[in-house]
Amino acid sequence: MALLAGARVDRQDDHGTIVAPRATLKVEPWQGGTLRGSFGTGFRIVNLFTEDHAALTGARQVVIAEGLEPEESRSFAVNLNQIFEFGVNNMMIDVDLFHTRFTNRILPDYDTDPNRIIYANLDGTSVSRGFALALNQNFGDTPFLYNAGITIQDVYQESPGEGREAVPFAADYTATWGAQYTFRSVLDGLGVSYTGQRV
């Protein structure tokens, strides 16, 4: 068993001292298996004009409705890593469960006034939670490896009087895959690979 803990401390002129602690616990409950649990907090001061390019397009007036507070988050995650031995062709599988809760999310309002983009902190919370599965296998007796993974997530926000609503443009799932073959002998070092993604 191993425990790793720490904290990040920042001093910001407008918001004072901000402390962000985090901790991770690691255990190996059986042969080839590693289980990790982690908790952490974080914050982010958004630079609107470098991160939200929609504010710079068109003829809309940008309105900052209030003194924006930093976005804050609290995250929990559990990871299981399991290695299956197939001679020299070991396969590794990762299973992840995650849950992150955001407060003070800085969100653009495009609907209240069609001539304006209004920025304000969310009066409520935003949640990103989900499940991820990934596997990869490297064939030791041949120069071939492959990987595949899928992430299924539920992303939403809640505010008083508005209830729960989905966050726009947040994908319900993401699938990725890839394969690589490296030539030997005459074409030593040259390889070919194929990757794909579906959202």
Side-chain angles (χ1 to χ4, degrees):
M1 178 183 296
L3 175 65
L4 178 64
R8 173 178 169 177
V9 180
D10 286 78
R11 175 72 184 176
Q12 212 273 342
D13 289 342
D14 295 327
H15 306 292
T17 301
I18 303 174
V19 181
R22 61 200 69 181
T24 299
L25 179 66
K26 172 185 171 182
V27 296
E28 297 179 0
W30 53 77
Q31 180 66 31
T34 303
L35 184 64
R36 293 178 177 86
S38 61
F39 164 78
T41 64
F43 71 95
R44 186 175 71 131
I45 299 171
V46 176
N47 296 304
L48 295 180
F49 302 112
T50 58
E51 297 184 8
D52 190 353
H53 301 292
L56 303 178
T57 60
R60 291 191 178 198
Q61 178 187 3
V62 175
V63 177
I64 300 176
E66 58 190 25
L68 298 177
E69 295 295 323
E71 297 180 335
E72 299 180 10
S73 65
R74 288 175 174 79
S75 299
F76 301 88
V78 176
N79 167 262
L80 173 62
N81 175 269
Q82 180 66 49
I83 297 175
F84 296 95
E85 296 184 0
F86 298 105
V88 294
N89 304 322
N90 291 346
M91 175 187 289
M92 185 168 64
I93 296 180
D94 276 287
V95 179
D96 292 276
L97 297 173
F98 58 89
H99 186 286
T100 301
R101 180 175 295 272
F102 300 91
T103 55
N104 291 338
R105 285 291 302 272
I106 299 174
L107 298 175
D109 177 1
Y110 300 102
D111 301 324
T112 299
D113 185 336
N115 297 314
R116 295 181 173 185
I117 303 175
I118 303 172
Y119 288 94
N121 287 109
L122 175 66
D123 181 18
T125 59
S126 179
V127 172
S128 175
R129 60 184 182 180
F131 163 84
L133 174 66
L135 65 90
N136 67 77
Q137 188 170 15
N138 190 349
F139 291 84
D141 52 0
T142 60
F144 175 75
L145 62 88
Y146 72 90
N147 62 76
I150 185 167
T151 299
I152 300 172
Q153 61 180 3
D154 179 24
V155 183
Y156 64 90
Q157 62 191 36
E158 291 181 306
S159 55
E162 298 293 332
R164 173 174 165 167
E165 57 182 339
V167 174
F169 310 115
D172 293 330
Y173 76 95
T174 302
T176 60
W177 59 89
Q180 178 179 319
Y181 183 86
T182 304
F183 295 101
R184 293 177 176 171
S185 65
V186 178
L187 299 174
D188 189 25
L190 182 65
V192 59
S193 63
Y194 168 76
T195 60
Q197 181 181 41
R198 185 175 180 85
V199 178

Coordinates of all heavy atoms in Angstrom, one line a residue, residues 7 12 17 29 43 49 54 57 68 77 79 93 98-99 104 115 119 124 128 134-135 141-142 165-166 176 189 193:
A7 N -0.3 19.3 -1.8 CA -1.2 20.5 -1.9 C -0.5 21.5 -2.8 O 0.7 21.7 -2.7 CB -1.6 21.1 -0.6
Q12 N -3.0 34.9 -5.6 CA -3.5 35.6 -6.8 C -3.9 37.0 -6.4 O -4.6 37.1 -5.3 CB -4.6 34.8 -7.5 CG -4.7 34.9 -9.0 CD -5.5 36.1 -9.4 OE1 -6.3 36.7 -8.6 NE2 -5.3 36.6 -10.6
T17 N -5.2 33.9 -1.4 CA -4.5 32.6 -1.4 C -5.5 31.5 -1.7 O -6.6 31.4 -1.1 CB -3.9 32.4 0.0 OG1 -2.9 33.4 0.2 CG2 -3.1 31.0 0.1
P29 N -4.0 -5.6 -4.7 CA -4.8 -6.6 -3.9 C -4.6 -8.1 -4.4 O -4.9 -9.0 -3.7 CB -6.2 -6.2 -4.1 CG -6.2 -5.4 -5.4 CD -4.9 -4.7 -5.5
F43 N -8.6 24.7 -9.2 CA -9.2 25.9 -9.5 C -8.6 26.4 -10.9 O -7.6 26.0 -11.3 CB -8.9 27.0 -8.4 CG -7.5 27.5 -8.4 CD1 -7.1 28.6 -9.1 CD2 -6.5 26.8 -7.7 CE1 -5.8 29.0 -9.0 CE2 -5.2 27.2 -7.7 CZ -4.8 28.3 -8.3
F49 N -10.7 35.6 -23.5 CA -10.4 35.9 -24.9 C -9.3 35.0 -25.5 O -9.1 35.1 -26.7 CB -10.0 37.4 -25.0 CG -11.1 38.3 -24.5 CD1 -10.9 39.0 -23.3 CD2 -12.4 38.3 -25.1 CE1 -11.9 39.8 -22.8 CE2 -13.4 39.1 -24.6 CZ -13.1 39.9 -23.4
A54 N -15.4 32.4 -29.6 CA -16.7 32.9 -30.1 C -16.9 34.3 -29.6 O -17.6 35.0 -30.3 CB -17.8 32.0 -29.5
T57 N -15.8 36.7 -32.5 CA -16.4 36.5 -33.8 C -17.7 37.3 -33.9 O -18.4 37.4 -32.9 CB -16.6 35.1 -34.2 OG1 -17.5 34.5 -33.3 CG2 -15.3 34.3 -34.2
L68 N -15.9 38.1 -11.9 CA -15.8 36.6 -12.1 C -14.9 36.0 -11.0 O -13.8 36.4 -10.8 CB -15.3 36.3 -13.5 CG -16.2 36.7 -14.6 CD1 -15.6 36.4 -15.9 CD2 -17.6 36.1 -14.5
A77 N -11.8 9.7 -8.2 CA -11.5 8.7 -9.3 C -11.0 7.4 -8.7 O -10.3 7.4 -7.7 CB -10.5 9.3 -10.3
N79 N -9.2 3.8 -10.2 CA -8.6 3.1 -11.4 C -8.2 1.7 -11.0 O -7.6 1.5 -10.0 CB -7.4 3.9 -11.9 CG -6.6 3.1 -12.9 OD1 -5.6 2.5 -12.5 ND2 -7.0 3.1 -14.1
I93 N -5.3 -4.0 -19.1 CA -6.7 -3.4 -19.1 C -6.8 -2.4 -18.0 O -6.3 -2.7 -16.9 CB -7.7 -4.5 -19.0 CG1 -7.7 -5.5 -20.2 CG2 -9.1 -3.9 -18.8 CD1 -8.8 -6.6 -20.1
F98 N -14.9 8.0 -12.7 CA -14.6 9.3 -12.3 C -15.8 10.2 -12.0 O -16.9 10.0 -12.6 CB -13.7 10.0 -13.3 CG -14.3 10.1 -14.7 CD1 -15.0 11.1 -15.1 CD2 -14.1 9.0 -15.6 CE1 -15.6 11.2 -16.3 CE2 -14.6 9.1 -16.9 CZ -15.4 10.2 -17.3
H99 N -15.6 11.2 -11.1 CA -16.7 12.1 -10.8 C -16.1 13.4 -10.5 O -15.3 13.5 -9.5 CB -17.5 11.6 -9.7 CG -18.7 12.4 -9.4 ND1 -18.7 13.6 -8.7 CD2 -20.1 12.2 -9.6 CE1 -19.9 14.1 -8.6 NE2 -20.7 13.3 -9.1
N104 N -18.8 27.6 -9.6 CA -18.3 28.9 -10.2 C -18.0 28.8 -11.7 O -17.1 29.5 -12.2 CB -17.1 29.5 -9.4 CG -17.5 30.0 -8.1 OD1 -18.6 30.3 -7.8 ND2 -16.5 30.1 -7.2
N115 N -27.6 40.3 -29.4 CA -26.5 41.2 -29.7 C -25.4 41.2 -28.7 O -24.4 41.9 -28.8 CB -27.0 42.6 -29.8 CG -28.1 42.8 -30.9 OD1 -27.8 42.3 -32.0 ND2 -29.2 43.4 -30.6
Y119 N -21.1 37.0 -19.9 CA -20.4 36.0 -19.0 C -20.7 36.2 -17.6 O -20.7 37.3 -17.1 CB -18.9 36.2 -19.3 CG -18.4 35.7 -20.6 CD1 -18.3 36.6 -21.7 CD2 -18.0 34.4 -20.8 CE1 -17.8 36.1 -22.9 CE2 -17.6 33.9 -22.0 CZ -17.5 34.8 -23.1 OH -17.1 34.4 -24.3
G124 N -24.8 27.6 -9.3 CA -25.1 26.2 -9.1 C -23.8 25.3 -9.4 O -22.7 25.8 -9.1
S128 N -19.2 16.3 -14.2 CA -18.7 15.4 -15.2 C -18.4 14.1 -14.6 O -17.6 14.0 -13.7 CB -17.5 16.0 -15.9 OG -16.9 15.1 -16.8
A134 N -10.1 0.7 -21.2 CA -9.0 0.8 -22.2 C -8.2 -0.5 -22.1 O -8.0 -1.1 -21.0 CB -8.1 2.0 -22.0
L135 N -7.8 -1.0 -23.3 CA -6.9 -2.2 -23.3 C -5.9 -2.0 -24.4 O -6.1 -1.4 -25.4 CB -7.7 -3.5 -23.5 CG -8.4 -3.7 -24.8 CD1 -7.5 -4.4 -25.8 CD2 -9.7 -4.5 -24.6
D141 N 6.6 -11.5 -29.5 CA 7.2 -12.3 -30.5 C 7.0 -11.8 -31.9 O 7.6 -12.3 -32.9 CB 6.7 -13.7 -30.4 CG 5.1 -13.8 -30.4 OD1 4.5 -12.7 -30.5 OD2 4.6 -14.9 -30.3
T142 N 6.2 -10.8 -32.1 CA 6.0 -10.1 -33.4 C 6.0 -8.6 -33.1 O 5.5 -8.2 -32.1 CB 4.7 -10.5 -34.1 OG1 3.6 -10.2 -33.3 CG2 4.7 -12.0 -34.4
E165 N -29.7 20.3 -16.7 CA -29.6 20.4 -18.2 C -28.3 19.9 -18.7 O -27.3 20.1 -18.0 CB -30.0 21.8 -18.7 CG -29.1 22.9 -18.2 CD -29.5 24.3 -18.7 OE1 -30.2 24.4 -19.7 OE2 -29.1 25.3 -18.0
A166 N -28.3 19.3 -19.9 CA -27.0 18.8 -20.5 C -26.1 20.0 -20.9 O -26.6 21.1 -21.3 CB -27.4 18.0 -21.7
T176 N -11.8 5.2 -29.1 CA -10.6 5.3 -29.8 C -10.0 3.9 -30.1 O -10.2 3.0 -29.3 CB -9.5 6.1 -29.1 OG1 -9.3 5.5 -27.8 CG2 -10.1 7.5 -28.8
G189 N 13.0 -0.6 -38.6 CA 12.6 0.7 -38.1 C 11.5 1.4 -38.7 O 10.9 2.3 -38.1
S193 N 1.0 2.4 -39.1 CA 0.0 2.4 -38.0 C -1.4 2.9 -38.5 O -1.5 3.6 -39.5 CB 0.5 3.4 -36.9 OG 0.6 4.7 -37.3

